[in-house]
Structures are given as structure tokens and as C-alpha cells.
Amino acid sequence: MIPLAVPNLNGNEREYLNKCIDTTFVSSVGEFVGRMEEMSAELSGCRYGVATSSGTTGLHLALMGVGVERDDLVIVPTYTFIATANAVAHCGALPWLFDMNQDDWCIDVNLIEKALDSECKMESGKVTHIKSGRRVAAIMPVYVLGNIPDMEKINAIAQKYKLPVVADAACAIGAEYNGNKTGDLAALSVFSFNGNKTVTAGGGGVVVGNDEMLMKKIKHISTTARVTAEYDFDMVGYNYRMTNIQAAVGVAQLEQLHSFLKRKKDIRQYYKNALEDIKGISIFPATEGSSCWFSGMVLPDGKSIRDVRRVIGKLKEKGIEARSFWKPVHLQPPYASAPRTAMENADRLWDRMITLPCSTGITDEELESVCKAIYELCRG
Ligand SMILES: *Cc1c(COP(=O)(O)O)cnc(C)c1O
């Protein structure tokens, strides 16, 4: 079987894990946690990093950090993994769902200003969504597939309405924007190190940012808000820490980031060259500087999730693992009451997407057999 996306553990992972065991530093204190934070901050061009138990808990912390509270609204794209919306809900807030852009699959930036201008009022620095009476507390763009949306425009809107920007960069480690690192595109950016991401720690996340006070606050909330070693706490905190074992794997993986990114980009290019002349098929989009986390194809207009299932079944018969991709948040029952824009692009696109094998360890021969199988299918 050619798997969809499996970790590539051929660096120092084993050595660093043994070091955790030999030194007994297996829990949330240890040298690798600090290195994980430093390396993540450095690669995103930020001064500080806070390691977390997952990308989701990192997002929750980031939203708490910028002051998202119960009953607030947070602007998020509908086209994302459910964790983006869940992090908002974990704050007691509600996502305000926006349609995706068909070019980069990120939030449709033009809709944000339109919606804020026409559906909100601004009084003494507070933005209120008129219909629901809720405060709009933040904008959270998602770097879908490692693609960066028009962050200049998002930041201009955010500035106009005095809203903090938190970037869900969970699947976008190593992405660039106009040739630069992405950490300063938002007040806080959050990476995930889940097993299917470009770089894994088994599980985990890192929040990066430049504001020292804000980063200290996030570290504080993530470590049960402990003030002294004598069990003094100053608020209801969380145990959202990353363990040294996770960080040992993560550090060994980050050491290989450069080669992983190159392979991810090559894989996408391989699929693009091989598949794009099949009539009606398109390849997952990549912005300039995209980290190309996942590769895949979009079936022609008019196809649906039934066709996606059929193609996935046929590929499975040939020993190739493929899957459908994210089902948008506006179609998920837990978010039935979330306010939303019209969803023309998301509704038109999501049920024709198929992710294809794209592990960094995939060989060219394997890529060739995937493409051959797709060719045969599409001819038949
Ligand atoms: C993976 C992912 C998450 C969640 O990260 P976990 O580490 O699995 O909690 C959130 N948002 C996006 C866009 C992701 O791809």
C-alpha cells in the first residue's frame, strides 16, 4: 500500500528519545521543549515560542491570549479543519464563517471588509455584530495547505477595526510570504506537529509571536497558571504543555525541515506535471512560497462526493491510499447556528477534492504508479 501521509523518522528521533529516557526527562520539563520553542520561533522569524500539547490547544491559548471571551464572534474561514472552529468554541465564543477563495483556498479576504462594513457597528473601540449583538473579537485566517492569503489586506482591515489577528498556521510550517518568514503576519501564529503534518512531534503545537508580555501570558495559561512552587495559582489555567518526549521527536524533525519542504514541493510539481493535462482535473493550488503540505486533485465541475468515493475505492484496489479532504465547517452540525456568508466557492469545491499520497518519504517510482493508476481510471 502507498500510504497517504506518514511520518519520515530517519533523523535523530531515536537518539533524542533515548536521551529523554537516559536522563529521565520524559515529562513537560527538559531541554527539547526549550529547543522546540526556539527553533519554531526562529523558523517563523519570531522572538518567542510556546510549546503546547497540540495545535488545537495552541489555537485555544492564542485566542485566550488576544482576549477572546464567552459569547464573542471570531472571523474564520469555513474551509478548514474543524479544530479551527473548535478552538473558538473552547473559548465559549462562536465562529463567524466566511467563504473560501477559489485561487488559494484560504478565506475570501474581500468578504471580510464587506461584512464588517455592512453588518457591524463600531463604538468606543468595540466592534459589534448588529444582528447577533455579539462582539467581534478577532480574525483568524487559516494557511490552508501552507498557502498564505493576502495578509496585507487582512491586516489593513484588522487595523481599521482594531481587531487582533491570530493565524492558524497549523499545516503551514515553512511557508513563506513575499519571500519572507510568516511570523510577523499575525500577532500570534500557531503550528501543529500532529502525525500527518510536514513536521511531526507525534502530536503537539507551538504558538509563536513577538510580544513578550503576550507570550508570557500564554505560557502562564498553558502551565496551569502557577505562580509559585508552593501551589499558588492566579486564575483557572490549563495543562496544555508539550512533553520532552514529543519535543525530542519534534526537534529531530525540525532539523530536517529544509529537505522535507523541498520534497513536499517536488511532490506537488510531480502531480502537476503528470495529471494536469487530464481533461477537467486540476491540482491543489499553491501560492508563491507555499509549503505544499498536502497534494491532491480536484475532479471536474459537476462531479460530487460520490465520484470522489468511487475514485478512492478504485485507487485502494490498486494499493494506493487517497482520501476526500476537509468538509467545510458550515456543513457541520455543531456549528449549525454560527453566522455565515454565502458559501458559493466552498459548496462548489469541497466535495470534488481528493488528497493523494504525499509523504516526504515517497519515492519517484511510487509517484509514477499513483499517476499511472489515475490515468487508467480517468480514461476508463
Ligand atoms: C492539523 C490542523 C489543526 C489541528 O492541529 P492538531 O495538532 O491536530 O490539534 C488545526 N488547523 C488546521 C488548519 C490543521 O491542519
Side-chain angles (χ1 to χ4, degrees):
M1 197 78 184
I2 303 175
L4 182 67
V6 290
N8 181 345
L9 303 164
N10 294 307
N12 290 321
E13 290 83 1
R14 191 184 307 270
E15 183 192 328
Y16 294 171
L17 283 170
N18 278 332
K19 206 164 176 191
C20 294
I21 294 166
D22 292 342
T23 59
T24 75
F25 279 99
V26 294
S27 196
S28 21
V29 177
E31 61 165 314
F32 293 116
V33 177
R35 269 166 71 186
M36 189 77 193
E37 294 178 335
E38 281 160 23
M39 289 173 91
S40 302
E42 156 76 25
L43 74 90
S44 48
C46 286
R47 277 204 289 279
Y48 310 100
V50 172
T52 60
S53 53
S54 72
T56 310
T57 56
L59 288 169
H60 183 199
L61 286 167
L63 292 173
M64 285 190 280
V66 299
V68 173
E69 293 178 347
R70 183 159 297 282
D71 297 330
D72 284 344
L73 286 181
V74 176
I75 291 175
V76 301
T78 192
Y79 196 69
T80 183
F81 180 58
I82 193 90
T84 316
N86 287 349
V88 175
H90 294 160
C91 295
L94 200 59
W96 182 3
L97 301 172
F98 281 68
D99 197 10
M100 69 197 283
N101 179 329
Q102 63 176 351
D103 298 327
D104 57 21
W105 292 6
C106 297
I107 194 165
D108 184 339
V109 176
N110 293 322
L111 291 178
I112 303 176
E113 187 163 32
K114 242 184 255 168
L116 285 168
D117 282 347
S118 64
E119 295 178 47
C120 296
K121 60 178 184 202
M122 195 164 166
E123 284 168 350
S124 49
K126 187 177 137 181
V127 185
T128 304
H129 182 247
I130 297 165
K131 196 167 162 211
S132 66
R134 291 170 185 261
R135 178 179 79 123
V136 181
I139 303 177
M140 185 157 62
V142 177
Y143 300 160
V144 178
L145 300 172
N147 294 346
I148 313 290
D150 186 346
M151 290 302 287
E152 267 149 66
K153 203 159 196 173
I154 289 179
N155 279 306
I157 301 162
Q159 208 158 35
K160 175 173 163 191
Y161 284 92
K162 298 191 168 54
L163 293 171
V165 177
V166 171
D168 180 345
C171 60
I173 198 150
E176 291 186 345
Y177 183 70
N178 296 336
N180 296 314
K181 297 172 177 178
T182 55
D184 61 355
L185 298 176
L188 298 168
S189 307
V190 183
F191 298 120
S192 163
F193 296 92
N194 187 42
N196 68 355
K197 299 300 202 267
T198 303
V199 169
T200 186
V206 174
V207 184
V208 296
N210 282 317
D211 181 332
E212 188 181 359
M213 291 305 289
L214 179 55
M215 295 305 286
K216 279 192 170 146
K217 177 177 168 190
I218 284 171
K219 186 81 181 178
H220 185 62
I221 305 173
S222 75
T223 51
T224 56
R226 195 176 73 175
V227 189
T228 74
E230 296 172 329
Y231 297 96
D232 290 302
F233 307 90
D234 62 0
M235 61 176 285
V236 179
Y238 293 80
N239 179 3
Y240 277 176
R241 296 171 299 182
M242 178 183 278
T243 68
N244 204 41
I245 289 185
Q246 289 170 293
V249 175
V251 167
Q253 289 267 293
L254 283 175
E255 289 171 351
Q256 305 165 80
L257 177 64
H258 193 72
S259 66
F260 286 179
L261 285 172
K262 177 161 191 321
R263 189 63 184 149
K264 284 287 190 186
K265 290 175 196 183
D266 288 347
I267 293 166
R268 178 177 179 278
Q269 196 57 44
Y270 193 104
Y271 283 129
K272 191 170 163 61
N273 294 344
L275 301 178
E276 256 193 354
D277 48 336
I278 302 179
K279 201 167 177 308
I281 297 264
S282 58
I283 293 301
F284 282 13
T287 51
E288 184 76 40
S290 173
S291 56
C292 300
W293 168 49
F294 254 58
S295 283
M297 61 180 178
V298 185
L299 296 182
D301 241 329
K303 299 286 183 190
S304 73
I305 196 73
R306 279 189 306 277
D307 303 293
V308 164
R309 290 189 193 118
R310 188 179 52 79
V311 170
I312 290 170
K314 294 270 187 205
L315 289 174
K316 193 174 171 193
E317 285 169 20
K318 293 171 190 260
I320 295 160
E321 188 186 12
R323 288 183 66 178
S324 58
F325 200 31
W326 298 331
K327 183 170 180 174
V329 177
H330 74 279
L331 301 176
Q332 308 288 352
Y335 295 103
S337 67
R340 64 201 58 203
T341 66
M343 294 296 181
E344 284 158 41
N345 288 331
D347 286 335
R348 193 169 56 76
L349 280 166
W350 81 269
D351 65 348
R352 293 188 278 129
M353 299 174 186
I354 300 178
T355 53
L356 295 171
C358 56
S359 313
T360 53
I362 198 169
T363 63
D364 283 355
E365 292 70 39
E366 288 172 324
L367 284 172
E368 197 185 326
S369 47
V370 174
C371 294
K372 209 170 136 235
I374 293 169
Y375 253 105
E376 283 165 9
L377 253 177
C378 292
R379 267 210 315 265

